[in-house]
Amino acid sequence: MKDYTWNMNLALEQAGKAYSSGEVPVGCVITNECGSIISQSFNEKEKKYDPCGHAEIIAIRNAGLKLKNWRLSNCKIFVTLEPCPMCLDAMIHARVSHLIFGAYDSKAGALSLGYNFYKDKRLNHQFSVMGGIEHFKCSRLLSNFFRERRGQYQTRNDD
């Protein structure tokens, strides 16, 4: 469990980079079976004008390149926000072994919306999921980001 907290805090550092860049502050870390980090990333949708520029997708791509293998068997993904359906599906295709996330996302999170693809026996891969690791820190970062954004929009509308 200590490793989960450590790696989630590394993902939070990545989320901080997204925050500083004006991106929704989501960060991701992928570790191998020994616990070594093989990939880290943060959201880059705005910067790259890419609807698939989610932290998880970028980290999965980078991990595949580093390992020279699209199969991320025995890899764990640590992400600060519950993945959306696209990212959860990418994890299935990448054959990850574990997903560990921080904050729950009742509006866009795959699990919160009931899309439990990761345990669907009709698919060719299943994996374990654990949510709520460093939930308060992850949620606070996201809340602060959106509170600042709403404040900026209100200021613009008042002009």
Side-chain angles (χ1 to χ4, degrees):
M1 195 64 171
K2 193 185 270 189
D3 290 344
Y4 283 14
T5 302
W6 176 265
N7 287 315
M8 188 58 68
N9 280 293
L10 293 176
L12 274 161
E13 288 178 15
Q14 293 296 309
K17 292 178 184 179
Y19 194 115
S20 298
S21 301
E23 300 277 353
V24 174
V26 177
C28 184
V29 170
I30 300 179
T31 62
N32 65 15
E33 63 273 7
C34 299
S36 299
I37 295 170
I38 56 173
S39 181
Q40 301 181 71
S41 65
F42 54 88
N43 274 2
E44 294 188 79
K45 285 175 62 172
E46 303 298 329
K47 177 183 174 186
K48 295 188 176 179
Y49 311 107
D50 181 2
C52 297
H54 293 203
E56 303 96 307
I57 299 295
I58 296 165
I60 288 168
R61 286 178 180 153
N62 292 339
L65 289 170
K66 183 169 183 177
L67 296 175
K68 296 184 180 7
N69 193 340
W70 61 268
R71 292 174 190 87
L72 303 183
S73 304
N74 302 316
C75 290
K76 293 179 183 171
I77 293 187
F78 297 85
V79 63
T80 57
L81 182 64
E82 177 185 348
C84 71
M86 173 183 69
C87 291
L88 188 64
D89 199 41
M91 292 174 200
I92 292 166
H93 287 279
R95 312 288 197 271
V96 301
S97 63
H98 303 284
L99 162 63
I100 301 93
F101 67 90
Y104 286 85
D105 185 357
S106 61
K107 294 181 182 176
L111 291 88
S112 291
L113 294 172
Y115 298 116
N116 297 313
F117 308 130
Y118 70 96
K119 60 183 180 180
D120 189 330
K121 301 288 186 202
R122 296 171 297 175
L123 298 174
N124 62 350
H125 182 71
Q126 292 84 43
F127 54 91
S128 69
V129 173
M130 179 183 288
I133 303 298
E134 296 289 15
H135 173 77
F136 180 73
K137 288 181 184 178
C138 296
S139 294
R140 185 177 55 206
L141 184 64
L142 287 156
S143 294
N144 289 343
F145 176 81
F146 287 113
R147 188 176 307 111
E148 281 182 21
R149 287 293 203 220
R150 281 191 299 274
Q152 289 173 0
Y153 295 133
Q154 288 172 349
T155 302
R156 289 181 190 154
N157 291 337
D158 292 341
D159 291 339

